[in-house]
Amino acid sequence: MITLLCTVFLSLTLASSVYSETNSPASPPAYTAETELGDQNRVFASRGSNVTLPCRLHRQHGMSFGSVGMRIKWTKLSADESLEEDVLVSMGFHKKSYGSFQGRVHLLEADDDDASLVLSDVSLDDVGKFRCEVIDGIDDVIHEVTLEVQGSVGYSDGVVFPYSPRLGRYNLNFHDAEQACLDQDSVVASFDQLYEAWRSGMDWCNAGWLNDGSVQYPITKPRGPCGGANARAGLRNYGQREKSKSHYDVFCFTSGLKGRLYWLVQPDKLTFAEAVQACQDDGAEIANVAQMYAAWKLNGYDRCDSGWLADGSVRYPISNPRSNCSPTEAAVRFVGFPDKKQKLFGVYCFKGQQ
């Protein structure tokens, strides 16, 4: 009886030891993922560059990577990780990429253990968490890596700006907000980016979407209409909102300029169509809102002339406040969305780096 009890006790002790060390069944999986990035699981790239997202595997039990029936699937997770966007699926010789990743991704396949993904022409929209999943029968190995694009992590080399469409404030659901930022060569800002912008002095009393589906706005000067005069400065948070039915503005984020924004000197004022054509005739394109904010915030661009931008709005950037030119603060001043046929304004153009 004593021998039996000792045997049972020893068995339970060994089982407990196996579980506490691995938190998984004692028998190992056929493959295990290996990170080469330390605890951060992050890689960094600049816009327009190529980057490799690592997914390295070890063969065990003599099994060969790339065996018949093995599938490699790369997906990109949404900001709140509730949705997955297909990036690339590979099974044997059959490989398929999807959506905006078509023609921009392929497997590195440096050796038989390599499922790393090569992504070319990196954009701000690529920022986020990617998931590599290798499936072989009952074995399923998952590795996640986060891609950060230069200017997307902090605020020092990027800029957060508020945006509302021609229809006016509070007209964007979350999906419209995402598209509105993309149209301005930017992405929906994250909480961290808005927080850093607030710490740098951003004060804006209209609530806007962030990329996690929350709605917030930054206040540095508490006042009645913006959460109350007695409230503390900070980010006002409306919490998570229904992405399809709720309507707000949006906070967009863009990184540094790869080119030059400039005022196009013209003898006469222009309609919107004439403004677009004038920039094209100068070997450039009409500037967008993100480019103006980046030139203003990051390069100190200052011009006290109202000019057309690509979304049909009219704005001007002031870095040095003065009489008749944003006398109280540095800002990108918004004139409005005038009738595009009016010949009342000049134009800001943008010429990308060659």
Side-chain angles (χ1 to χ4, degrees):
M1 183 67 177
I2 294 175
T3 302
L4 177 61
L5 289 173
C6 290
T7 302
V8 171
F9 178 78
L10 179 60
S11 299
L12 290 174
T13 301
L14 290 173
S16 175
S17 176
V18 168
Y19 183 81
S20 63
E21 289 178 5
T22 66
N23 201 26
S24 62
S27 58
Y31 300 93
T32 55
E34 170 187 83
T35 177
E36 300 177 338
L37 304 170
D39 295 333
Q40 295 300 315
N41 288 344
R42 293 177 183 271
V43 294
F44 297 83
S46 58
R47 295 174 70 176
S49 67
N50 299 341
V51 67
T52 298
L53 305 181
C55 183
R56 183 123 185 118
L57 303 133
H58 289 306
R59 288 178 288 172
Q60 297 185 14
H61 307 311
M63 298 182 66
S64 175
F65 177 73
S67 61
V68 176
M70 176 172 287
R71 185 175 76 148
I72 301 171
K73 182 179 182 180
W74 277 91
T75 55
K76 184 174 185 292
L77 305 182
S78 60
D80 59 6
E81 301 191 14
S82 62
L83 298 173
E84 292 187 42
E85 177 186 1
D86 288 340
V87 175
L88 179 143
V89 174
S90 172
M91 183 176 289
F93 295 107
H94 302 285
K95 297 176 174 62
K96 181 176 176 61
S97 55
Y98 297 86
S100 63
F101 297 101
Q102 285 185 318
R104 294 200 299 134
V105 292
H106 66 271
L107 294 178
L108 182 61
E109 297 179 320
D111 53 51
D112 287 345
D113 297 332
D114 200 349
S116 300
L117 184 77
V118 178
L119 172 62
S120 62
D121 193 19
V122 171
S123 70
L124 280 175
D125 199 37
D126 295 328
V127 170
K129 183 178 288 186
F130 288 77
R131 176 175 291 163
C132 168
E133 185 174 10
V134 180
I135 303 171
D136 186 18
I138 63 172
D139 297 307
D140 188 347
V141 175
I142 295 176
H143 174 63
E144 294 180 347
V145 58
T146 298
L147 173 63
E148 301 285 6
V149 177
Q150 183 180 16
S152 68
V153 182
Y155 185 64
S156 60
D157 52 356
V159 57
V160 173
F161 62 95
Y163 189 81
S164 57
R166 176 179 289 273
L167 294 174
R169 67 194 292 261
Y170 296 173
N171 270 288
L172 299 171
N173 67 24
F174 180 78
H175 310 293
D176 294 334
E178 287 184 308
Q179 187 59 52
C181 289
L182 286 176
D183 290 343
Q184 301 307 314
D185 191 30
S186 59
V187 294
V188 180
S190 67
F191 170 83
D192 289 342
Q193 289 161 350
L194 185 63
Y195 177 74
E196 289 301 319
W198 168 75
R199 289 185 60 191
S200 297
M202 187 177 188
D203 184 282
W204 194 257
C205 197
N206 290 347
W209 290 102
L210 297 181
N211 68 357
D212 62 357
S214 67
V215 173
Q216 308 191 36
Y217 63 98
I219 294 297
T220 58
K221 303 171 184 176
R223 50 201 183 276
C226 307
N230 296 323
R232 298 179 64 180
L235 297 186
R236 307 286 191 257
N237 190 347
Y238 287 8
Q240 299 289 317
R241 295 296 178 176
E242 212 289 320
K243 290 183 177 180
S244 296
K245 297 180 180 179
S246 299
H247 292 80
Y248 297 94
D249 293 345
V250 63
F251 290 99
C252 301
F253 177 89
T254 190
S255 62
L257 289 172
K258 284 200 170 183
R260 180 173 66 93
L261 179 138
Y262 62 98
W263 171 262
L264 183 62
V265 177
Q266 292 282 287
D268 302 306
K269 301 298 185 182
L270 306 169
T271 66
F272 177 76
E274 290 170 342
V276 172
Q277 188 60 53
C279 288
Q280 292 175 352
D281 292 344
D282 201 48
E285 62 185 10
I286 187 170
N288 61 43
V289 177
Q291 290 161 348
M292 174 168 283
Y293 269 97
W296 165 73
K297 184 68 178 181
L298 305 179
N299 298 344
Y301 190 80
D302 181 283
R303 182 89 190 192
C304 194
D305 291 292
S306 301
W308 292 105
L309 295 179
D311 65 341
S313 67
V314 172
R315 308 172 195 247
Y316 61 98
I318 298 297
S319 295
N320 302 306
R322 52 199 183 275
S323 178
N324 299 323
C325 298
S326 188
T328 60
E329 61 180 354
V332 172
R333 287 302 183 186
F334 174 62
V335 176
F337 285 93
D339 186 335
K340 291 184 176 180
K341 295 181 181 180
Q342 290 183 347
K343 295 173 69 76
L344 297 176
F345 309 103
V347 62
Y348 289 93
C349 301
F350 180 80
K351 190 171 292 187
Q353 292 177 349
Q354 299 299 318

